[in-house]
Amino acid sequence: MKKILLSAFAMLLAVTANAQNFTVEKLQSPLGVQTEAFGAHKAPAKANIAANQRLVGYFDTDDCDNYVGVQQLPGNSKVAIALTADDLAPYYGKKIAGVRFNLAQSETSTGVFVENVKIKNGAITENTAIVTSDKSVTSAAGAKNTGEWHEVMFDNKVEITSSFETLFVGYCYKQKSNNYPVGVNSKVDGPFFLYTNISSAQGGTGEAWYAINSGGNGLAIQLIVEGDFAPNSVQPLDFGKFVITKGKSKNVAVDFRNIGSKFTSIDYTIALDGKAGAEQHLDFGKDFGVGGTHTVEIPFAADSKIGTSTVTLTVTKVNGVENANAIKTATGTLYTVEREFVKRSVVEEGTGTDCGYCPRGHVAMHNMHNLYGDQFIGIALHQRSSMDPMYNVSYNLGFPSFPQCMVNRSNDFWDPYEQMPAVLKASLNEIALAEVTVAGTFADEDTKVNATASVESLVAGDYDIAFMLTADGLTGKTTSWKQQNYFCKGHSGNPYKSKSSMPEDIQFLWDKGSSYYATYNDVLIASSYVSDKNKATLPTLVANGTVSSEYTLKMPTKVALKKAIKLDQVYVVAVLLDKKTGAIVNAGRARVTGSTGIEDVTTGTEATVVARYTVNGVQVSAPVKGVNILKMSDGTTRKVLVK
């Protein structure tokens, strides 16, 4: 599903009489999420559709694990997904039969709709109703964060044609100041469209369609399509970029949209830059069944030459019979390399000592260090209050609330405990087209750090580099160092009713009191940013070459912070930035060395993960669900729970 018209920072896009663009600046992160101790999710209902029907949406399963609302905008509302021409192309000639959606407990929908929307220069220029139903449905009462799937069918079935540019598919409901009606899937992202009334005082233009920050959630809405479907019809979906070392092969996850009635095997060819290889056969060993989108590992071989190749996958047969789908090909980009680079991801967390929910974020950052070792780089930005002894605003990412975080500066803000771990895990699966190696040395009696970074790259181009200093083990004895804690017993802001209802890793906060002396890690203490302007520079990257950068960072001079810093726990971080998007491409982190004031300091680096095992003693290369046993570089072992 392509992302269209979605801003990660604010609500965008309205339908106005003259179709002008505008940005709403006063409702940044408008979605409220209904959760209570992670909520008890109701078992998903199976789709009540006929054999000649298929589901089309951001996902086509029964998954729905959260419920959201925009309490700031009460009133009659509509919510919709956007299906593009690419999404609809496999269904040309079929008919729109109905809408399937998940609605929260005790909530009512007063109708469903499908609208054809035309968009030009980021604005809706035309909006035409295709088919509607005013049938009312209500979800049964239940526990918080539960709901039901509903299917509302149309009396008038409209054929899907190439004249549809984008279809809005959704339902009507009533937004209140305290409800969370809209079902979503937190594992699937996609554009989130809301028809509501936003006043000019709130930055809107009245009653109109708006695209809002989805918070990484995909709406649980699906179009029900009806027609005659060939039994052996599969469409492969584009599979992005991947890296393979020269002379080797790699399994790459490819999504296949099954339009047919069963899916047990495929025959396919792979072409590199237009030169197709021999037809290959892959038997899945099971039948995926009717419809659905399924992920299959396809083996790809490296090219014979170093560099970039366009890869085309063509599905020639399905279940041993010629593929009946009109769209038989999908593409990706292969980077054939001498060696693969290590991908490291950066989580920048907005936090503060006066933030009562921030202890949960501290735990999440600690967990990620344990899970991913040096592939995780944490930077804690204490920016909520100038009374915080670790307060630092050398650069500001615009956190709308605290705690919030960004992963590799990829636009969206995430809850560091509930959402960030999944986003981080996904980011580590992205390919690294460059590798960053960084080092730092204390200078001028430990008042400065001379930082150096080298960037080895597979591609040429202009990129930026930024440097940061972080510190672990910060603590103090004055009240300004105390961390506020809303998760303690008896606090009115605690979302948990008992210690036993809390996730195990944060249960210690129950007994900590409303504030406690904490030890802070990953704290930003200096950077190459001056008043939000990055002063570090980087030469143009050279394909299959290395460039370097140097920068001198000043250590803090504020007495309280300076006194708390342990020089053997100061780290230098270098992040490689895409100049166009601002996203972090890759990064490196190392302990700063060479202090004249450090005694009896271990010369090695911090402990990292050197091996990972399941509870059964089987070694694995990546985190697996359940208990993982980690062997660390310092000889110790740790047990971590991967959810």
Side-chain angles (χ1 to χ4, degrees), residues 47-54 225-230 259-261 290-291:
N48 183 28
I49 60 174
N52 67 335
Q53 295 173 342
R54 300 291 183 269
V225 174
E226 182 177 286
D228 293 327
F229 293 94
I259 312 297
S261 57
V290 177

Side-chain angles (χ1 to χ4, degrees), residues 409-576:
R409 298 192 189 174
S410 55
N411 292 331
D412 288 309
F413 293 110
W414 308 100
D415 179 278
Y417 189 84
E418 292 185 345
Q419 297 175 311
M420 179 269 287
V423 178
L424 174 66
K425 182 178 180 180
S427 76
L428 289 171
N429 289 328
E430 297 170 357
I431 66 170
L433 298 180
E435 188 166 62
V436 180
T437 304
V438 65
T441 306
F442 285 108
D444 292 353
E445 298 183 345
D446 304 331
T447 62
K448 296 178 181 179
V449 172
N450 292 329
T452 60
S454 62
V455 180
E456 185 178 357
S457 177
L458 302 176
V459 296
D462 289 328
Y463 289 79
D464 287 325
I465 195 165
F467 293 89
M468 296 86 170
L469 292 181
T470 65
D472 286 352
L474 298 184
T475 190
K477 296 182 179 179
T478 61
T479 55
S480 64
W481 285 94
K482 276 193 167 185
Q483 177 64 53
Q484 296 299 304
N485 175 31
Y486 292 169
F487 297 101
C488 67
K489 179 180 179 181
H491 198 287
S492 59
N494 193 342
Y496 303 101
K497 306 304 180 186
S498 65
K499 184 176 181 179
S500 62
S501 69
M502 301 173 73
E504 185 177 348
D505 55 359
I506 64 171
Q507 286 184 4
F508 74 96
L509 296 170
W510 183 266
D511 302 315
K512 280 290 187 180
S514 60
S515 65
Y516 64 98
Y517 287 107
T519 299
Y520 303 93
N521 296 321
D522 300 318
V523 177
L524 179 74
I525 59 172
S527 78
S528 58
Y529 290 90
V530 178
S531 300
D532 272 331
K533 301 291 184 181
N534 181 31
K535 299 299 183 179
T537 59
L538 182 72
T540 299
L541 297 190
V542 178
N544 301 307
T546 302
V547 300
S548 60
S549 176
E550 298 180 355
Y551 191 83
T552 297
L553 298 132
K554 295 180 180 179
M555 290 287 287
T557 57
K558 190 165 56 175
V559 175
L561 179 57
K562 183 179 178 181
K563 184 178 179 180
I565 292 173
K566 302 173 181 64
L567 296 181
D568 62 333
Q569 295 188 55
V570 174
Y571 297 85
V572 59
V573 175
V575 298
L576 182 66

